[in-house]
Amino acid sequence: MIRALRASRAAIRFLERSRSVNGSYSLTEWPEVKRIRLLGPGDVGNAVAALRLAQRCTVGFLDPIEDALHLTAGLRFMGFDATFHVGREAFASNPPPGLHAWVECDRRVVSTSLPVREEYVEVAALP
């Protein structure tokens, strides 16, 4: 849990540096992935849970975009090759289509149970 708290604090600093005055983000310098040890396939789920808990304890709930940014940066600080994704609804019931952000590790969605690959058209993937 201490590792997740450190990663969460580093991710919050990343968010603060990335925020622009006009509400946009400058996401050009992502945290480097430093492999601390060999990571097993189940480790990412534990890391996501620990980062979510650390986030709630330190800064509370973030909006969905910042939540995904925080999780991506935190996972990268913890040694996971995480990527941030944004998509728009493929079939919106009420125009305009909504946006949703999610996080992937090794091409597997780790941040949401929504079927984002089926219901959203990806418009950005970083880093």
Side-chain angles (χ1 to χ4, degrees), residues 22 64 71 122:
N22 66 358
L71 188 58
E122 189 173 287

Side-chain angles (χ1 to χ4, degrees), residues 6-75:
R6 287 184 182 142
S8 179
R9 287 186 183 126
I12 293 300
R13 288 191 298 275
F14 167 77
L15 274 175
E16 290 169 348
R17 284 191 313 269
S18 300
R19 285 186 192 125
S20 179
V21 178
N22 66 358
S24 64
Y25 298 91
S26 174
L27 300 170
T28 56
E29 294 186 31
W30 284 87
E32 185 179 329
V33 176
K34 295 180 182 174
R35 298 276 183 196
I36 299 167
R37 60 184 170 85
L38 289 176
L39 301 167
D43 290 346
V44 71
N46 293 332
V48 167
L51 280 169
R52 291 231 187 264
L53 181 60
Q55 173 197 326
R56 303 305 193 265
C57 291
T58 56
V59 294
F61 288 87
L62 297 171
D63 70 53
I65 298 289
E66 289 205 342
D67 179 74
L69 289 169
H70 173 272
L71 188 58
T72 304
L75 287 169

Side-chain angles (χ1 to χ4, degrees), residues 86-101:
V86 175
R88 68 165 178 77
E89 288 178 296
F91 307 101
S93 57
N94 293 320
L99 294 175
H100 188 67

